Structures are given as structure tokens and as C-alpha cells.
Amino acid sequence: VPNLQGPCYISPVPNGGFVVSEECGDVKVFTSSRKLLCSLSSKYGHRFGNPTGVCVDMEGSILVADEQRCTVHLFPEHGAPVCLVSTGLRRPVGVACSSFGHLFVADAGENCVKVFKYCVRPP
């Protein structure tokens, strides 16, 4: 996949495609045939500082750690983004989620992994 601006982190998505974060830029979603499906900043009108870790939860929502803004946002397939973590992070760089609704955040600023429980209910 060419023409990415500093690709950093990557995660598979349920349809066989993948999501990739670009350093100081955007997060892009690709199909299984490696075609650009969407840019999260364009689709949601969201401005990233420095998107780092990305993962996809059981509902197909994309979770993104923003190292510069010290946040983790959830981007559902339909609807507006949800800020899951807005305090308590110094330098979030990696994220992963479990099938039990746990969000794991690697915080390089505090040299630890922080665990959060989350549940997103439909509107």
C-alpha cells in the first residue's frame, strides 16, 4: 500500500481489511483488496494530533490512541466519535481491546499499561 504519510500502527478489521495510523496525520481504513475505504478525519470531521495505536472492537468500531492529545477515541461504523479516555494518560501509544469490553492502553509516558472497562450503547 503506497502513499502513506509515516505509517505507524496497523490492525486488521473484521471484513478482511485493515486500519493504519499515520504519524502526525490521519487514520485510514483499507479493504481486503488494499483499496482505501475511508479516512477517519474526513469521514468524521475529526482532527488528530498524533494518532498512534489502533484496534477494532467486537462491534467493528475503530479505537485510536492520540499521543499528542493524550486521548483514546472510538469511531463507530455509524454515528459520531466517542472519547473513551480524556484524562489520566501521559503518552498513549498502543491500544488493544478484549472481547469482554476491556481497553488496554500502553502509556509510554508512565511506562505502564492501563486497563479500562467500556461499553458503548446504541443511541
Side-chain angles (χ1 to χ4, degrees):
V1 177
N3 302 319
L4 293 171
Q5 303 299 311
C8 293
Y9 295 84
I10 189 166
S11 177
V13 295
N15 67 2
F18 61 95
V19 59
V20 61
S21 63
E22 296 177 306
E23 186 176 26
C24 295
D26 202 355
V27 176
K28 294 183 177 167
V29 183
F30 291 87
T31 66
S32 58
S33 59
R34 297 177 301 281
K35 292 189 181 192
L36 179 64
L37 183 63
C38 72
S39 147
L40 293 188
S41 59
S42 295
K43 179 177 179 178
Y44 294 95
H46 184 84
R47 298 190 95 195
F48 292 100
N50 182 21
T52 50
V54 292
C55 68
V56 179
D57 70 8
M58 296 296 288
E59 305 295 319
S61 296
I62 298 169
L63 289 84
V64 181
D66 192 319
E67 181 180 19
Q68 186 178 45
R69 299 209 167 137
C70 300
T71 60
V72 176
H73 276 80
L74 178 141
F75 296 86
E77 195 169 340
H78 304 289
V82 177
C83 184
L84 295 179
V85 184
S86 61
T87 60
L89 298 175
R90 286 189 46 208
R91 198 172 138 228
V93 292
V95 291
C97 34
S98 75
S99 56
F100 300 105
H102 289 101
L103 170 64
F104 303 94
V105 181
D107 190 336
E110 294 188 20
N111 295 315
C112 66
V113 172
K114 296 179 179 177
V115 182
F116 301 89
K117 178 88 173 152
Y118 78 99
C119 178
V120 176
R121 292 177 180 26

